[in-house]
Amino acid sequence: MPARNILVINCGSSSIKFALINEAHSHFTLSGLAERLGSHDAVLHWQRGDEKGSLMLPDGDHRAALAQLLPLVQNAAGGTLHGIGHRVVHGGEHFTSASLLDPQVIAAIRAIAPLAPLHNPASLLGIEAALSLHPQLPQVAVFDTAFHQSLPEHAYRYAVPEHLYREHGVRRYGFHGTSHRYVSHRAAEIAGLAVGDSSWLSAHLGNGCSTCAIVNGQSRDTSMGMTPLEGLVMGTRSGDVDPNLHGHLARALGWSLEQIDAMLNKDSGLLGLSSLSNDMRSLEQARDQGHVGATLAIEVFCYRLAKSLAAMSCALPQLDGLIFTGGIGENSPLVRSKTVAHLKLLNLALDKEANARSIRGVGGPIQAYGHPRVLVVPTNEERQIALDTLALLH
Ligand code: AMP
C-alpha cells in the first residue's frame, strides 16, 4: 500500500492552521495558516518545501479558506488525500480517544461546548466546512483532553460539592494530551523501553504549559484542570492562584468577572510578572542585561514548574525519565537547568554540555552520568493527530 496522506486542521475562531502529513515522512508536505477569517483582510498563507504563497480572501470564512486550500492539498498529496484529522480542544468525559466524525460525534462536541466556549465552536466551524466540501472523505476528531481520561478519580475531582461535578461537569480534564502522548512514546523509543512498561514525567512548555505523569502509556495526573488556566505559570496565563483572589478583586476593586478572566488569561504569567513580555526568548535576553522583572519571571516559572513535577511524581511507581518539550522545553537550556536544580530530592542532575547542545530540534538525553534520565523530545502534535486519524481509517 502506498504511504497515505492526512490533512491536519486546527481551527481557531478566525484562523485555520493546517499541515499535510505523509505517513512515510517526518516533514510536512504542505503547511500554513489562514487568518483573520471573517474580516476584510482574511488571508491564506502556505508553504511547500521552499515555495511560499499567499492568497487574499476578502470576507472569507472557514469554508471559503478550506475551499481554496483543498485543491492545493490534493495537488501536494499527488491527488490522493486519505483523510482529515481535526484538532478539538475539549472532549469532556464523552471522548476517551479520537473518533470518526459522524452526526452523533458532532452533536457530542457541540454539547461539550459550554466547557470550552471559545474553542469547540471554532473547531465545529472547520469540521462542518470540511465535511460539506468533502462528504466522502473520512474525517476524525482528535481531542486534547482524551489522553487524560485515564486519570483516577482522586486526581480529577475538585473538593467542591458533588452536584457541581455530577450536574455541571466541574472536574479536572487536562489538556495538551496529544503532545504528552506523542513525547512519552518517543521517550520510550529513545530509552529502549516499552511504552506499556515505563513511567514518565512530561513538561510541555510553550505559550501554554502543563506537566503530566504517564504510567504504562496512560496519563495518571496533569497540571491543567477544568480549563487550561490551572497549574503552571504560562506566557500570559497566571496558572494557580488562590481561588479567593476572584472574590477579593470583585469586592476590593469592583472588578467584573470578565475583567478578572481577562487579567488571569491575558495579562498574567510571564508577561504579568516581568511587565515586559510573554516570550521566554525575549525574557532570557532581558535577564542577561539585568532586567529585574524578566529575572523574577524566569525564577517563578522554573520554581513553579519544579514544584508541579515533584507533585506529579506522587502518581508514578518509579521514574524512567523526565521529558522537556514545547518551544521553551525544546530550546531553553536555562529553564531546564534552573528547573532541575530544584529537583535534587528526585536525584535529577543535568550534563551541562548535553543540555546546551539540545536546542532547535536536537533532542536526546541530557542527564548527568549516573542520574535519572532527562530527555529533550521535540513534540509533533500534527503527526500524532495524523497517526490517530490513520488508525481509524482501517
Ligand atoms: P510554542 O507555543 O511551543 O511555540 O512555544 C513558544 C515559546 O517558546 C515562547 O515563549 C518562545 O519564546 C519560546 N522559545 C522559542 N525558542 C526559544 C529559545 N531559543 N529560547 C527560549 N525560549 C524559546
Side-chain angles (χ1 to χ4, degrees), residues 36-78:
R36 301 192 287 273
L37 296 175
S39 82
H40 201 58
D41 303 326
V43 61
L44 170 67
H45 303 288
W46 72 89
Q47 178 160 11
R48 185 177 170 185
D50 292 336
E51 192 191 328
K52 288 184 181 176
S54 292
L55 180 72
M56 293 306 294
L57 304 164
D59 300 317
D61 57 7
H62 287 71
R63 193 175 196 283
L66 285 173
Q68 294 294 337
L69 171 61
L70 286 167
L72 292 173
V73 169
Q74 291 287 9
N75 184 284

Side-chain angles (χ1 to χ4, degrees), residues 258-280:
E258 287 69 28
Q259 280 175 299
I260 299 169
D261 272 359
M263 180 276 289
L264 292 172
N265 282 286
K266 299 196 174 127
D267 304 332
S268 296
L270 293 172
L271 175 65
L273 278 163
S274 67
S275 306
L276 183 70
S277 173
N278 64 331
D279 186 287
M280 186 57 85

Side-chain angles (χ1 to χ4, degrees), residues 309-330:
L309 288 166
M312 288 294 139
S313 72
C314 295
L316 301 185
Q318 88 234 2
L319 179 62
D320 289 309
L322 163 62
I323 305 163
F324 282 103
T325 194
I328 300 172
E330 293 167 30

Side-chain angles (χ1 to χ4, degrees), residues 23-44:
E23 62 182 327
H25 303 297
S26 56
H27 65 268
F28 300 155
T29 318
L30 175 83
S31 62
L33 170 73
E35 57 183 346
R36 301 192 287 273
L37 296 175
S39 82
H40 201 58
D41 303 326
V43 61
L44 170 67

Side-chain angles (χ1 to χ4, degrees), residues 205-207 278-281 284 326-328 331-332:
L205 312 173
N207 271 319
N278 64 331
D279 186 287
M280 186 57 85
R281 212 170 351 190
E284 289 190 14
I328 300 172
N331 291 297
S332 176

Side-chain angles (χ1 to χ4, degrees), residues 99-239:
S99 289
L100 210 49
L101 283 160
D102 62 20
Q104 286 79 25
V105 168
I106 291 174
I109 296 172
R110 186 164 287 118
I112 295 159
L115 290 170
L118 297 178
H119 291 106
N120 277 24
S123 302
L124 284 167
L125 286 176
I127 287 169
E128 283 172 341
L131 281 171
S132 74
L133 290 162
H134 269 280
Q136 304 313 325
L137 203 58
Q139 305 202 24
V140 168
V142 179
F143 302 91
D144 267 20
T145 50
F147 182 54
H148 303 300
Q149 279 299 301
S150 50
L151 258 58
E153 193 165 12
H154 62 251
Y156 73 69
R157 286 290 295 274
Y158 290 117
V160 296
E162 207 240 353
H163 65 92
L164 290 175
Y165 167 59
R166 297 271 170 234
E167 290 159 34
H168 302 286
V170 175
R171 54 157 283 180
R172 309 182 64 254
Y173 293 94
F175 300 86
H176 289 149
T178 307
S179 176
H180 289 300
R181 189 151 64 95
Y182 179 82
V183 296
S184 56
H185 280 240
R186 283 285 301 130
E189 268 171 39
I190 293 167
L193 298 170
V195 177
D197 189 17
S198 56
S199 299
W200 304 94
L201 290 175
S202 165
H204 177 106
L205 312 173
N207 271 319
C209 301
S210 68
T211 56
C212 186
I214 301 151
V215 179
N216 302 340
Q218 292 196 325
S219 173
R220 307 299 290 171
D221 201 355
T222 190
S223 61
M224 284 178 167
M226 177 160 160
T227 76
L229 183 58
E230 187 176 334
L232 305 178
V233 173
M234 313 185 207
T236 60
R237 287 178 236 159
S238 62

